[in-house]
């Protein structure tokens, strides 16, 4: 897409421009989308170099990520999700010994979200957070950077993950695994992820359509 002239950061921002959307948007990954106990994840930073991540972790950015996944999940599920927020540093900073972002930035953002009625908690150590999430302790996880959540969710369900372009005025979904250039044209692709993505888009579009009719 870059070679073809894409000027936006990624496909999500291309869709945002195409739809005239200027508000907040972020990738949301949904694991086990067709099951009742789906796990949703999103992140504060996305397709940026790792060395830039710490400077992009601000209270507003963390708060906005929490708020976005809360709004999208409430619309999809009809109930408030239990949201776990990951720390940035090892052991979630170890009380300031391994970094202060948890104390100065992430923690205040979580408390701000809680004051607004969002069922958020954290910051939690990222190396054990997904164990609790897989167990069912949380409905959603907000991570600080791309691989912090992507590695965990793809290990738990590579062939049933869906990426939702969250916050856009229309539901846009893709398989979470991305483009498989290595097997293109070989007739061996697993259709499970694209089926999951299609199902999520249909359900979200149907709910939005019913909501529009009610509002009319």
């Amino acid at each position: 897409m870059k070679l073809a002239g894409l000027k936006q950061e990624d496909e999500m921002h291309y869709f945002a421009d195409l739809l005239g959307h200027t508000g907040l948007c972020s990738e949301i990954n949904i694991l086990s989308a067709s099951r009742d106990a789906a796990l949703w994840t999103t992140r504060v930073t996305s397709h940026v170099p790792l060395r830039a991540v710490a400077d992009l972790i601000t209270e507003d950015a963390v708060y906005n990520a929490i708020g976005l996944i809360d709004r999208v999940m409430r619309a999809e599920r009809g109930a408030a999700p239990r949201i776990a927020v990951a720390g940035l540093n090892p052991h979630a900073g170890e009380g300031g010994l391994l970094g202060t972002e948890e104390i100065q930035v992430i923690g205040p953002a979580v408390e701000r979200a809680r004051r607004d009625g969002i069922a958020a908690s954290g910051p939690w150590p990222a190396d054990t957070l997904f164990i609790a999430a897989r167990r069912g302790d949380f409905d959603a996880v907000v991570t600080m950077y791309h691989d912090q959540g992507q590695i965990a969710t793809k290990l738990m369900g590579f062939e049933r993950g869906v990426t939702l372009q969250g916050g856009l005025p229309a539901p846009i979904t893709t398989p979470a695994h991305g483009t498989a250039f290595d097997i293109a044209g070989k007739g061996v692709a697993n259709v499970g992820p694209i089926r999951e993505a299609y199902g999520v888009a249909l359900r979200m579009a149907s709910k939005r359509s019913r909501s529009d009719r009610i509002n009319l």
Side-chain angles (χ1 to χ4, degrees), residues 177-194:
H177 57 58
T179 305
F181 292 113
D182 56 323
I183 61 171
K186 296 181 179 180
V188 297
N190 185 329
V191 300
I194 192 67

Side-chain angles (χ1 to χ4, degrees), residues 8-195:
Q8 293 82 1
E9 177 182 331
D10 50 33
E11 68 272 18
M12 181 183 67
H13 290 91
Y14 167 76
F15 291 136
D17 286 350
L18 193 66
L19 295 168
H21 179 73
T22 57
L24 183 67
C25 57
S26 178
E27 280 192 5
I28 295 175
N29 291 113
I30 307 171
L31 188 61
S32 301
S34 63
R35 304 180 186 181
D36 292 336
L39 176 64
W40 295 48
T41 64
T42 191
R43 48 193 182 257
V44 178
T45 66
S46 190
H47 299 122
V48 297
L50 191 56
R51 68 170 61 248
V53 167
D55 290 338
L56 295 172
I57 303 296
T58 65
E59 182 180 330
D60 283 346
V62 176
Y63 173 81
N64 287 338
I66 298 170
L68 176 65
I69 199 167
D70 180 73
R71 289 192 299 276
V72 174
M73 290 189 74
R74 283 176 190 256
E76 169 69 5
R77 293 154 44 102
R82 300 163 299 164
I83 303 171
V85 181
L88 173 65
N89 299 295
H91 305 172
E94 197 74 75
L97 295 175
L98 302 177
T100 59
E101 284 84 0
E102 288 76 13
I103 297 171
Q104 297 177 349
V105 178
I106 304 172
V110 171
E111 290 304 313
R112 182 174 159 193
R114 289 175 64 85
R115 289 195 299 271
D116 287 344
I118 298 174
S121 63
W124 299 98
D127 60 345
T128 55
L129 172 54
F130 280 91
I131 297 173
R134 183 178 60 180
R135 190 169 58 220
D137 294 358
F138 305 108
D139 304 306
V141 176
V142 175
T143 60
M144 295 300 111
Y145 57 93
H146 184 277
D147 287 0
Q148 196 179 45
Q150 291 292 83
I151 292 173
T153 55
K154 288 181 179 180
L155 276 172
M156 287 191 289
F158 184 73
E159 295 181 343
R160 46 192 172 86
V162 174
T163 296
L164 166 69
Q165 310 298 346
L168 297 181
I172 299 176
T173 60
T174 64
H177 57 58
T179 305
F181 292 113
D182 56 323
I183 61 171
K186 296 181 179 180
V188 297
N190 185 329
V191 300
I194 192 67
R195 185 183 291 119

